[in-house]
Amino acid sequence: MRNNIDVRLKEALKNLAANSSEQKAYLEKLGTAPSADELALEFDDIYLPLKSWIEGGSVKLPPNLILKLEEVDNLLEKMSGPQNAKLWDVKSLSSNEWNHIRRIAGEALLLIS
């Protein structure tokens, strides 16, 4: 993986995999709390171009890593929309939805060499 892509992807996954209190502190430091949106936005900022580079063949990743990244993306997408607005508040970072994202993001992070 290209170095800048690698660093940005690791950082986004690290933030998604962090425990809820670390995520809250991170978002407060950024000044975006009480919104938790930035966690997903950082992932999207690197994942969306990476996905097109993978599909175009210019970036190669292990298939199991691609599946984990897709799973993180799908989980975040399922949390989108006005019906799930409450999940995007730092108070919800300890919810089952965020716990699931943390677990999958952590698994993806372990697969990055």
Side-chain angles (χ1 to χ4, degrees):
M1 208 178 319
R2 297 177 194 152
N3 194 35
N4 187 39
I5 297 168
D6 189 44
V7 169
R8 290 182 58 210
L9 182 60
K10 281 182 182 178
E11 191 64 27
L13 288 170
K14 182 180 138 208
N15 290 332
L16 284 172
N19 68 48
S20 59
S21 60
E22 291 170 333
Q23 289 173 328
K24 182 180 178 197
Y26 174 70
L27 294 166
E28 288 172 346
K29 181 181 171 188
L30 289 179
T32 62
S35 172
D37 291 5
E38 192 63 26
L39 296 170
L41 294 173
E42 289 177 349
F43 178 77
D44 279 352
D45 284 349
I46 188 60
Y47 176 69
L48 296 178
L50 180 61
K51 182 179 176 182
S52 79
W53 296 329
I54 292 167
E55 290 169 356
S58 61
V59 171
K60 302 279 188 217
L61 295 178
N64 52 350
L65 175 56
I66 293 170
L67 290 174
K68 290 295 176 187
L69 296 175
E70 289 173 352
E71 191 172 354
V72 169
D73 186 53
N74 289 335
L75 290 169
L76 291 169
E77 183 64 33
K78 286 179 187 174
M79 289 172 50
S80 297
Q83 72 279 12
N84 292 316
K86 69 180 186 331
L87 291 173
W88 296 96
D89 185 286
V90 293
K91 293 176 190 166
S92 294
L93 288 172
S94 59
S95 69
N96 288 336
E97 292 86 352
W98 280 104
N99 287 334
H100 193 185
I101 288 171
R102 264 191 284 288
R103 184 175 58 80
I104 303 304
E107 291 171 4
L109 195 55
L110 291 174
L111 294 172
I112 298 175
S113 50

